[in-house]
Amino acid sequence: MQPVESNPISDSNDFNPNILPDKSRKTDFWSHLALSMAERSSKGLGRQVVVSRPVGPTTIERNGHLAINFGANDYLGLAWHPELIRAAYSNSSPPNKVGSGASPLITGHSQIHAELVSSIAAFEATESAIVFSSGYAANLGSLASLATKEDVIFSDSLNHACLIDGCRLSRARVLVYPHCDTDALRRLVQDHRHLGRFAFVVTDSVFSMDGDLAPLSEINGLCEEFDMQCVVDEAHATGVYGHFGRGLTEHLNVPSERMIRIGTLSKAVGCVGGFVAGNQLLIDWLTNHARSWIYSTAMTFPNTLAAIQALSLVHSMQDERKLLERKATSIRLKLNNLGFRVGSGTSPIIPVYLHDAVEVIEKCQRLLEQGIYVPAIRPPTVPAGTSLLRISLSAVHSEQELTQLVSAFQQL
Ligand SMILES: Cc1ncc(COP(=O)(O)O)c(C=O)c1O
């Protein structure tokens, strides 16, 4: 099998050789930027930040429109939970401080941070854990420090940008396999495993744009057969899958020996931050080598306190997890019946595929005018020709809000 050495998502990105600056002109750097931006916009690919005013657990205001929010990853509604808000903002919680003031190895790692580490290890049922300032930093720093240029990485073609960037930073040989295709992965591994001293399969567990699930049991089988580790990013699965909310590995009962499990506190957990949970040796390694942890200020106190509180709730939110799945199944069915091409599966991320970037923007705006916010996802976040509207559901969306969502799609 011919190996693919670059990731289609990130490499379809920002570099257009047709608009290279004219080297003979001195000011060309700025005209290059302007030209490049104009070209992006003309294709419907320009990005602009819009102020979203949070109004309630499922409501925002954007561009003057009050809308039901189907663009957040707050799958359990915890970002608005009174117990998290009390934990974060109550002045009675010591220490009465905002910033941690330093990176963890200097003075940033307080007793409260140590408590969060213990909470994550207990939540994940692992020996230890390490907390990063974001999920992005956790994936980036882990991959960059665990793999080296002596190694080989097999990476799913639709992996999240932070996994792609972590693979690149590691300087390992990266071979991309077609999305979730374990037959293709097997062939790639058979032909190329020998290239690496160590080998890794790297995958999201729930894919962030398509909402589908990685075949983790089969991947684990290949890891055992070919002596590889699997780095799995549970960002969208933490809190959502598994009886205790530990993610897809728990849901599928995948043995932990070959899994290096990364999660985020930023989605279902309702806060901000990323983590790796595993044995003490792994955590010691990351403590010594993960540069996005070593050289970055430890998380703020309010966020740390809220995350400890959140984890104690997420563990026992089985009813909310089931409710979320039922809502996701029902919305998929209803949109399918309306004739939309909708991503399959059970996750609360429901992509509605429309292909064309300009059309996606136009439909996003029409939904907003009907009081529904669903983000438009376009290249380079997804490969060219696969632009989509991404619905993210929360257990706290009411039945009435879901009915409004479906009828807004019906009117598109
Ligand atoms: C699959 C995946 N991994 C990691 C991240 C990064 O997590 P964080 O937002 O906590 O930095 C994201 C965020 O969108 C994601 O979708």
Side-chain angles (χ1 to χ4, degrees):
M1 180 178 188
Q2 264 317 91
V4 179
E5 302 221 14
S6 61
N7 189 296
I9 294 184
S10 56
D11 283 354
S12 64
N13 258 0
D14 298 309
F15 180 71
N16 183 347
N18 296 324
I19 48 170
L20 273 178
D22 174 354
K23 284 187 186 138
S24 64
R25 288 178 53 200
K26 268 200 158 170
T27 54
D28 264 358
F29 172 68
W30 299 109
S31 42
H32 162 62
L33 295 194
L35 216 63
S36 181
M37 292 294 288
E39 190 189 83
R40 262 195 171 221
S41 297
S42 72
K43 290 179 181 164
L45 301 180
R47 289 166 163 160
Q48 276 143 358
V49 67
V50 173
V51 174
S52 292
R53 186 171 71 86
V55 177
T58 55
T59 321
I60 52 166
E61 190 191 301
R62 271 172 84 87
N63 283 340
H65 297 281
L66 194 63
I68 305 165
N69 185 8
F70 291 99
N73 305 127
D74 184 17
Y75 301 119
L76 300 173
L78 281 174
W80 287 80
H81 198 286
E83 287 184 36
L84 269 71
I85 292 167
R86 209 172 303 124
Y89 299 117
S90 142
N91 284 339
S92 62
S93 310
N96 192 2
K97 187 174 181 223
V98 179
S100 65
S103 57
L105 290 176
I106 306 300
T107 60
H109 189 71
S110 72
Q111 184 52 38
I112 303 288
H113 293 81
E115 207 181 304
L116 176 57
V117 166
S118 303
S119 299
I120 292 171
F123 172 76
E124 293 287 349
T126 53
E127 195 179 0
S128 191
I130 181 169
V131 186
F132 293 71
S133 54
S134 70
Y136 192 102
N139 281 293
L140 188 83
S142 304
L143 276 163
S145 64
L146 290 166
T148 71
K149 61 179 183 341
E150 312 290 318
D151 303 326
V152 61
I153 293 176
F154 302 96
S155 173
D156 188 288
S157 63
L158 294 189
N159 275 344
H160 189 265
C162 59
L163 292 172
I164 297 168
D165 294 349
C167 290
R168 288 175 173 175
L169 261 185
S170 75
R171 289 183 276 179
R173 177 105 183 251
V174 181
L175 303 172
V176 177
Y177 60 92
H179 181 50
C180 287
D181 184 340
T182 44
D183 291 335
L185 174 59
R186 165 178 284 281
R187 289 194 295 276
L188 205 57
V189 171
Q190 273 169 342
D191 291 350
H192 300 282
R193 166 64 186 90
H194 68 277
L195 295 176
R197 178 189 50 159
F198 301 119
F200 301 83
V201 178
V202 173
T203 184
D204 290 14
S205 67
V206 175
F207 284 86
S208 55
M209 297 301 139
D210 294 79
D212 53 346
L213 308 183
L216 283 185
S217 302
E218 292 83 343
I219 289 176
N220 181 62
L222 285 173
C223 286
E224 282 178 358
E225 191 179 336
F226 291 93
D227 186 22
M228 305 185 288
Q229 312 302 315
C230 176
V231 177
V232 57
D233 176 9
E234 297 264 30
H236 293 277
T238 302
V240 174
Y241 282 97
H243 183 73
F244 295 111
R246 290 177 193 138
L248 195 61
T249 38
E250 184 198 357
H251 180 70
L252 298 175
N253 204 14
V254 181
S256 61
E257 291 78 49
R258 298 212 168 250
M259 295 283 141
I260 293 170
R261 299 185 50 241
I262 303 176
T264 177
L265 302 169
S266 323
K267 303 189 190 297
V269 182
C271 302
V272 167
F275 63 85
V276 181
N279 62 40
Q280 194 59 53
L281 180 59
L282 172 68
I283 303 308
D284 288 345
W285 175 271
L286 295 173
T287 303
N288 280 270
H289 296 89
R291 292 161 67 87
S292 62
W293 181 81
I294 297 169
Y295 298 108
S296 185
T297 299
M299 70 174 44
T300 64
F301 282 96
N303 186 64
T304 312
L305 289 160
I308 294 168
Q309 186 61 41
L311 288 172
S312 73
L313 299 173
V314 172
H315 183 260
S316 47
M317 293 182 84
Q318 285 82 16
D319 289 348
E320 286 79 358
R321 281 189 266 286
K322 281 190 198 130
L323 187 64
L324 187 59
E325 189 176 332
R326 275 203 299 278
K327 286 177 177 173
T329 304
S330 153
I331 293 297
R332 277 188 171 83
L333 191 67
K334 286 177 179 154
L335 293 179
N336 259 323
N337 288 344
L338 289 177
F340 288 100
R341 195 163 81 76
V342 173
S344 59
T346 56
S347 88
I349 301 172
I350 306 177
V352 180
Y353 296 103
L354 296 172
H355 308 295
D356 179 58
V358 176
E359 183 193 0
V360 163
I361 302 242
E362 188 240 326
K363 295 229 155 90
C364 171
Q365 181 58 28
R366 277 175 44 202
L367 287 172
L368 190 61
E369 283 158 14
Q370 295 181 63
I372 299 290
Y373 178 61
V374 179
I377 310 290
R378 299 158 292 154
T381 303
V382 291
T386 66
S387 290
L388 54 96
L389 289 166
R390 184 182 64 164
I391 300 168
S392 297
L393 296 182
S394 168
V396 297
H397 277 123
S398 68
E399 284 306 323
Q400 197 201 335
E401 288 170 333
L402 298 179
T403 305
Q404 281 176 257
L405 170 74
V406 174
S407 66
F409 266 90
Q410 194 164 15
Q411 287 164 52
L412 276 183

